[in-house]
Amino acid sequence: MAIKLTLPLQEDAIDTLRAGDSVLLTGHMLTGRDAAHKRLFALLQKGDSLPVDLRGETIYYVGPAPARPGYAVGPAGPTSSYRMDVYTPALLDLGMKGMVGKGIRSPEVIEAIVRNHAVYFAAIGGAAALIARSIKSERVLCYEDLGTEAVRLLEVENFPAVVAVDCRGNNIYASEPPKFRTYQE
């Protein structure tokens, strides 16, 4: 049974999550991919303020396709999270609480997740059309010139994900594969 969570995430909710938990996210989240992360990080490096407040926010690594009639966005599947790893610790240190993407994270990101009591959710790659159904609205917040990679605000309802790395550093990408190994090395 999936755990229903309201975004933005609250500290007590983050504390109850365990790696491997299935969740349904409802509320608002930001979007951003490589190009947006690079710009945000460059501003931080210069000591400038960001065009969006990340405190308490969850960011979805996605560049949604154009919407079909009747939908807020088109297919909206997760991108590979490792591409944001160089920027993520700094954003977590600013107070970001969650990320949604796919694939493994670096040891530095996992350390930052633990240090900042945050969580990394995995969305299912290949389910972009299904995920789009849980997105009820979207609007560009900044970096409109980046097109699909602009930072957006999404309103989501029952967005399906799995806790991939919990606030203690438990990581399904490390713990689960050995359970399915069919031979001894």
Side-chain angles (χ1 to χ4, degrees):
M1 183 104 179
I3 299 167
K4 292 188 175 222
L5 293 173
T6 301
L7 301 174
L9 293 167
Q10 301 300 311
E11 291 288 331
D12 58 337
I14 292 170
D15 203 44
T16 66
L17 297 173
R18 300 290 183 264
D21 286 347
S22 293
V23 298
L24 295 171
L25 306 172
T26 298
H28 73 264
M29 68 172 82
L30 304 177
T31 70
R33 287 182 37 160
D34 319 40
H37 276 72
K38 185 175 183 178
R39 286 189 185 179
L40 293 170
F41 189 74
L43 288 172
L44 288 177
Q45 295 297 99
K46 292 191 309 188
D48 293 343
S49 60
L50 300 183
V52 61
D53 186 358
L54 297 177
R55 288 175 296 172
E57 296 295 343
T58 295
I59 192 163
Y60 181 26
Y61 304 141
V62 65
R68 294 185 339 207
Y71 290 89
V73 298
T79 197
S80 298
S81 300
Y82 75 88
R83 297 190 336 225
M84 273 55 73
D85 280 3
V86 68
Y87 314 115
T88 299
L91 300 180
L92 286 166
D93 289 344
L94 283 178
M96 189 170 70
K97 286 297 180 182
M99 299 146 292
V100 181
K102 68 177 179 183
I104 63 172
R105 304 309 299 264
S106 70
E108 294 80 12
V109 170
I110 294 170
E111 289 170 14
I113 288 170
V114 172
R115 179 173 67 245
N116 292 287
H117 199 257
V119 63
Y120 169 53
F121 299 103
I124 306 304
L130 176 64
I131 289 171
R133 292 181 189 168
S134 68
I135 300 171
K136 302 306 177 189
S137 69
E138 67 86 28
R139 71 179 165 92
V140 173
L141 296 178
C142 60
Y143 305 143
E144 188 169 5
D145 62 302
L146 295 178
T148 61
E149 290 201 39
V151 175
R152 300 169 189 275
L153 180 69
L154 300 181
E155 290 294 331
V156 299
E157 184 178 327
N158 294 325
F159 182 105
V162 172
V163 176
V165 179
D166 65 29
C167 66
R168 290 159 209 77
N170 298 309
N171 175 2
I172 64 169
Y173 294 105
S175 65
E176 298 310 298
K179 294 178 183 177
F180 298 97
R181 189 168 289 139
T182 59
Y183 63 92
Q184 293 292 332
E185 294 180 20

